[in-house]
Amino acid sequence: MNTLRVGKIRQRLHAKDVALFGTVAKRRWPGAEPVLPRLSRSANHGLLWFGIGAGIWALGGVRGRRAAVRGVASLALASATVNTLAKGAVRRARPLMDDVPIIRHLPHQPVTSSFPSGHSASAAAFATGVAMESRGWGAALAPVAASVAFSRVYTGVHFPSDVLVGAALGVGAAYAVRGLVPSRSQLPAPARPRADAPALPEGKGLTVVVNPSSGAQPQLIDPVRQLRTALPQARVVVYEPEAGPLPDVLAEAAKSAAESGGALGVCGGDGTVNAAAECALRFDVPLAVLPGGTFNHFAADLGADTIPVACAAVEAGSAVRADVGRVRAATGADGRFPEHRTVGPDAQEPHYFLNTFSIGVYPELVRIREHWSPRVGGPPAAVIAVLQVLRTTRPLRAKVNGRARSIWLLFAGNGAYRSLGMAPARRHDLSDGLLDVRIAHGGRFARTRLLATAVAGGLARTRLYASARPRRLLITDLPEGTSMAYDGEVVPAPSSLLIDKLDEALTVYRPVAD
């Protein structure tokens, strides 16, 4: 009885499925005939979505890059699930094409199982994954994804139920990826504790310095136009080299903000933000960080990954206190840490970092990349730099907290980073008082062994890699000519240096969590 009932239900659903397919096939759609078949073909093998993902990556800023990666990851999972499991489990013949006009037919008819629709799964997965990181991009993609799904019925290669189930599997794949890698909306609010900062309606009292030369990250809308639209009463200064060194321009803007009781704003990459933070510390004014460079790591960790979002925080007066990393030349010769090592009165001015400090291969990589970038462009220059570093660079020898080490790379982050293997990914707390220290040691076949263990996910168990989260770090006996990098800037390193933090020293505007 139950078997008969289930069989009748299946027959009725199939009959309605076929009837709906026939309705679509017989109906005239003049506006769709030149568009939908081409759109359906463009989505073969995910090429349409990979192309859109590349565009979002290039034009969407930090949030766009996260959205593109999540969309592609969701698509990959959906495609693998549908094409290897679902189609193999359910064998269903393709619809008959008798009622479908020839003009709609695809040049190459698919021969795999009709159920479920792989194109629909990929479209739904990509659009849903993107929407989880960026509602704006997700809303823009929704009609395209729906059109691709409908085109599979329109061209006669799928029944409506194939499309609906495929789309549901695609959405499920996007949520499965989110379960493995939480989206920004699921993560705890970055940075604490709350700080008092003036609310500046329409930006009144805010002086923003825009550095248009901060990298080459294209944006859909000119950042200056966005600023003047969102904060019409803010003073916007577009930096030009003829006006003098950038730190001087930022210092003048910070001094003006201090005198008026306002705030300093900066629009640029990490190096520009670093220079602005030093000025904000010197004049004790709040800092508003607006992303506008190739890399905007501090802005992203703060949650201010778009200019409108950062402007809203300024108007609301929403701010937090953040730690600032500090690097000082150390004096003394005993190498003990920290009581018997001091910072001499004649030492050079300290360097500050909001993101990371490093010695080893990374400063050399940055130097080579910047050398080639004006000649061949950013991405090719990065490839050249990596190849040259791997071929020519050697580990350096130094003492870390009094212990001699062979160092391939030493990284110190301003706060604890969540990671993917050895690489730092992002921070959730910008005022934890800790340094995130990671050391890749040199040794026999160190490059090959580190790469192999990183691929295998075993970095935490290898002696070639060490990590700790101290409050201070002493590095001594650095070879002459060693370079150090902080927030993307490369400078000569002293022979001995002390790295510590200024706890909760910087007041910075942070968007209210959704």
Side-chain angles (χ1 to χ4, degrees):
M1 182 66 181
N2 289 336
T3 303
L4 291 175
R5 183 176 299 176
V6 170
K8 290 181 179 179
I9 293 174
R10 291 180 61 182
Q11 289 177 358
R12 291 175 183 175
L13 291 175
H14 179 71
K16 291 183 178 181
D17 208 15
V18 172
L20 183 57
F21 175 85
T23 300
V24 174
K26 293 175 182 178
R27 185 168 178 178
R28 297 282 298 173
W29 309 78
E33 287 180 356
V35 176
L36 289 183
R38 293 180 181 178
L39 183 64
S40 190
R41 294 196 302 272
S42 71
N44 288 347
H45 309 295
L47 294 180
L48 171 66
W49 309 117
F50 291 135
I52 292 176
I56 296 175
W57 173 277
L59 301 175
V62 174
R63 180 174 292 184
R65 291 194 287 272
R66 290 201 312 268
V69 170
R70 186 172 294 279
V72 170
S74 301
L75 181 154
L77 179 59
S79 180
T81 302
V82 168
N83 292 320
T84 61
L85 297 177
K87 285 184 179 291
V90 180
R91 297 289 183 177
R92 187 182 192 184
R94 298 276 175 171
L96 297 176
M97 303 286 289
D98 298 348
D99 294 329
V100 180
I102 295 178
I103 194 174
R104 302 186 195 174
H105 289 196
L106 299 177
H108 304 287
Q109 295 297 317
V111 296
T112 57
S113 172
S114 178
F115 184 91
S117 167
H119 281 63
S120 301
S122 297
F126 184 82
T128 303
V130 167
M132 287 176 176
E133 292 289 358
S134 172
R135 295 177 184 176
W137 283 110
L141 283 175
V144 181
S147 297
V148 168
F150 177 71
S151 74
R152 305 306 287 175
V153 180
Y154 179 83
T155 56
V157 295
H158 280 291
F159 291 105
S161 63
D162 302 336
V163 168
L164 292 175
V165 173
L169 290 174
V171 172
Y175 275 92
V177 170
R178 193 175 75 162
L180 296 172
V181 183
S183 64
R184 172 58 65 91
S185 62
Q186 292 178 289
L187 297 172
R192 60 161 182 85
R194 306 288 299 178
D196 292 328
L200 306 176
E202 297 188 341
K204 186 176 181 180
L206 177 70
T207 300
V208 184
V209 178
V210 179
N211 184 6
S213 64
S214 288
Q217 177 64 40
Q219 299 196 39
L220 288 174
I221 304 176
D222 175 43
V224 175
R225 190 194 314 169
Q226 292 184 75
L227 275 168
R228 288 176 173 158
T229 299
L231 303 175
Q233 295 193 46
R235 176 176 171 240
V236 180
V237 178
V238 180
Y239 171 69
E240 298 178 356
E242 296 78 11
L246 178 60
D248 292 348
V249 175
L250 288 164
E252 184 63 30
K255 180 179 178 182
S256 175
E259 292 172 349
S260 65
L264 172 65
V266 59
C267 180
D270 286 326
T272 302
V273 173
N274 178 288
E278 290 193 32
C279 295
L281 289 172
R282 188 191 319 165
F283 291 96
D284 193 23
V285 293
L287 180 66
V289 179
L290 303 103
T294 302
F295 300 108
N296 303 286
H297 297 115
F298 186 70
D301 288 338
L302 201 61
D305 47 11
T306 68
I307 289 178
V309 167
C311 290
V314 171
E315 290 194 282
S318 174
V320 295
R321 291 193 294 273
D323 294 345
V324 177
R326 179 173 59 178
V327 183
R328 294 179 287 172
T331 61
D334 53 28
R336 298 182 65 185
F337 175 81
E339 292 81 9
H340 302 283
R341 177 70 60 165
T342 62
V343 176
D346 298 326
Q348 63 184 23
E349 288 294 317
H351 298 284
Y352 299 98
F353 61 96
L354 298 176
N355 298 305
T356 62
F357 164 90
S358 64
I359 57 173
V361 296
Y362 181 74
E364 180 67 7
L365 187 148
V366 172
R367 185 190 66 79
I368 298 171
R369 185 190 66 196
E370 292 183 348
H371 172 76
W372 284 100
S373 184
R375 307 178 187 183
V376 300
V383 173
I384 292 173
V386 169
L387 293 176
Q388 188 168 337
V389 162
L390 289 176
R391 182 173 60 87
T392 63
T393 305
R394 297 291 182 268
L396 60 87
R397 296 198 64 85
K399 290 183 178 179
V400 180
N401 291 352
R403 180 179 177 184
R405 294 179 181 269
S406 175
I407 300 171
W408 189 257
L409 169 69
L410 184 146
F411 163 94
N414 176 29
Y417 278 82
R418 291 196 176 186
S419 307
L420 295 175
M422 183 178 172
R426 63 158 302 189
R427 294 163 290 180
H428 297 326
D429 188 348
L430 298 178
S431 57
D432 58 11
L434 302 175
L435 294 169
D436 189 335
V437 178
R438 305 166 189 219
I439 303 177
H441 296 132
R444 186 177 178 82
F445 304 114
R447 279 176 286 195
T448 304
R449 292 165 64 191
L450 276 170
L451 179 61
T453 52
V455 171
L459 278 171
R461 298 182 297 274
T462 176
R463 290 182 295 175
L464 291 173
Y465 173 74
S467 63
R469 290 179 177 174
R471 295 185 60 84
R472 292 181 291 179
L473 185 71
L474 180 71
I475 304 173
T476 60
D477 297 345
L478 283 170
E480 184 177 353
T482 299
S483 295
M484 64 182 185
Y486 60 96
D487 289 354
E489 304 297 317
V490 179
V491 298
S495 60
S496 298
L497 52 89
L498 179 67
I499 307 171
D500 59 5
K501 297 186 69 170
L502 301 176
D503 294 344
E504 301 179 11
L506 182 66
T507 297
V508 60
Y509 287 96
R510 181 188 71 79
V512 177
D514 295 334

